[in-house]
Amino acid sequence: MTYRNIQGMRAIAALMVVSCHMFWSLVPMRTHWAKPFFAAVGPAGVDIFFVISGFIIYHVVRRSVASLGQVGRGRAVFAFAMKRFIRIYPLYWIAFAAAGLVLLWSPPTALPLKKPVVELLMLVDTIPNYVVGVAWTLTYEVYFYGVAALSLLLLGKRALWGLAFWFSVLIGAAIASAWRPWTAPLDYLFAPILLEFLLGMAVGMLVERGARKFHGTMFLAATVWMAAGTWLVARDPASYLLRVACWGMPAAVIIYGVITLELRSRWIMPRALQYLGDASFSLYLWHVIVFDAMVGAFARLGWIGVINPVALTAVMVAGAMGTGLLSYHYLEKPLLRRLGQWFVGQRVASNALGTEAHAGNLAA
């Protein structure tokens, strides 16, 4: 089935990240009174995305396993991997090219550590990504997809056991890192934030097995948990362990809750949020690029320091949202449709939880 509340949560996560970044590109806004709140809470949108991704991939792997008898292991793995590839890379490469032009048009005062372009294009251990800043999260997504595909290839119907083994290694590595932090590249390979995908898969297992018990007190407790955890994460923002404990775990409870409410026909998120959830990947990928481009334009027009920075920021947000929606309709959806038909033989869903081949399936 299509989980409409999950789409709404994707929209909320994207808006959280956008709200965080809108204070950074325009220098006068960096001292705005509201910045500390948004800068502290906004990044938790990434953790919500990761939990949702784990939930989705759990169902996709289950469906791939079910198809092994009909299409064979090789075809099932190819379809799984190709759908993941089509879902991420084509739009990312377009955004990467646009961001490269923006760097020439509006270069930042300082760049983080540069990495080889090939690594950036393939999203392999590219943290930070100095071209498309938000793409550091896609690096972990691709890593997770790769482990899922390898598990499906090597273990077939026992693919979930392969993922379980990988997560057990991550848990052991997270415990070990408390005594001695990992150094590159192990800090990427064993990053505790990857455990948020496990939390999402756990939610998927609960839902699949018919768990429907959820009370408002759990939702309230998870919200308070995340809010209180924000204070702890703000004290040590580089700690992925803290992110998992303070943001990932309550996010999993909230996501389980909104799914349960939908399954029990208690509450469905507004259509506007569902629509923004469909477009969340484009919104997420483009917003910082648009912010930087517009700040460069404002500087050349002489507006910075003359026009109210809040008004300029409102224009930036409107521009980023508009660009994201245009990208969704005229880039993302056509690319998924055409590339899916060419390489997989069926349309790849334009949203992470829409239907693909026939009604009732979770999308790849």
Side-chain angles (χ1 to χ4, degrees), residues 77-87 339-340 343-344 348:
V77 173
F78 175 81
F80 176 89
M82 186 54 66
K83 289 174 186 177
R84 308 277 75 69
F85 184 92
I86 292 170
R87 192 71 186 84
L339 294 177
F343 294 104
V344 188
V348 175

Side-chain angles (χ1 to χ4, degrees), residues 56-363:
I56 294 168
I57 294 301
Y58 171 78
H59 288 282
V60 174
V61 170
R62 290 279 291 171
R63 192 178 60 207
S64 296
V65 167
S67 72
L68 290 175
Q70 291 82 32
V71 302
R73 186 178 301 190
R75 178 63 183 174
V77 173
F78 175 81
F80 176 89
M82 186 54 66
K83 289 174 186 177
R84 308 277 75 69
F85 184 92
I86 292 170
R87 192 71 186 84
I88 295 290
Y89 283 102
L91 188 62
Y92 167 67
W93 286 337
I94 294 172
F96 186 93
L101 294 176
V102 171
L103 284 176
L104 297 176
W105 157 263
S106 179
T109 54
L111 284 174
L113 178 66
K114 290 189 176 183
K115 294 205 170 187
V117 172
V118 173
E119 289 187 10
L120 293 172
L121 287 172
M122 298 311 299
L123 295 169
V124 178
D125 193 13
T126 52
I127 303 168
N129 187 318
Y130 74 92
V131 179
V132 183
V134 298
W136 70 270
T137 63
L138 301 183
T139 298
Y140 287 123
E141 291 276 0
V142 168
Y143 180 17
F144 175 44
Y145 297 162
V147 173
L150 186 62
S151 297
L152 190 62
L153 176 65
L154 297 180
L155 300 177
K157 293 184 178 181
R158 294 181 176 83
L160 289 175
W161 284 104
L163 284 164
F165 173 77
W166 178 59
F167 283 124
S168 67
V169 171
L170 291 178
I171 292 171
I175 295 172
S177 70
W179 283 272
R180 184 174 182 179
W182 300 105
T183 56
L186 297 181
D187 58 342
Y188 159 66
L189 294 174
F190 298 142
I193 200 170
L194 291 161
L195 292 172
E196 292 181 343
F197 297 120
L198 170 63
L199 294 173
M201 296 187 74
V203 172
M205 292 179 66
L206 285 173
V207 171
E208 184 184 57
R209 296 183 180 186
R212 299 288 187 272
K213 294 182 179 180
F214 186 81
H215 304 285
T217 51
M218 294 174 64
F219 191 91
L220 178 61
T223 303
V224 172
W225 181 358
M226 183 174 284
T230 297
W231 181 81
L232 291 173
V233 175
R235 295 171 66 88
D236 188 7
S239 173
Y240 282 165
L241 275 173
L242 270 180
R243 289 189 73 140
V244 174
C246 297
W247 285 344
M249 295 176 72
V253 175
I254 292 171
I255 289 165
Y256 169 71
V258 297
I259 292 171
T260 300
L261 289 173
E262 180 177 355
L263 293 175
R264 293 166 61 185
S265 300
R266 297 286 297 276
W267 179 62
I268 304 296
M269 286 197 177
R271 289 182 180 273
L273 279 180
Q274 295 176 43
Y275 167 67
L276 290 178
D278 289 344
S280 59
F281 183 48
S282 282
L283 293 172
Y284 179 80
L285 199 56
W286 283 102
H287 73 277
V288 172
I289 300 171
V290 175
F291 286 171
D292 291 343
M294 295 185 75
V295 167
F298 295 160
R300 283 167 170 76
L301 292 169
W303 290 358
I304 299 177
V306 176
I307 297 178
N308 188 307
V310 175
L312 293 179
T313 300
V315 173
M316 288 164 52
V317 172
M321 295 294 289
T323 300
L325 294 178
L326 287 172
S327 169
Y328 169 64
H329 284 288
Y330 298 106
L331 288 176
E332 185 179 346
K333 289 176 70 175
L335 282 170
L336 293 175
R337 181 176 63 252
R338 292 172 185 172
L339 294 177
Q341 290 171 345
W342 290 346
F343 294 104
V344 188
Q346 60 180 235
R347 177 178 176 176
V348 175
S350 59
N351 62 72
L353 288 169
T355 56
E356 278 186 289
H358 55 274
N361 280 339
L362 283 167

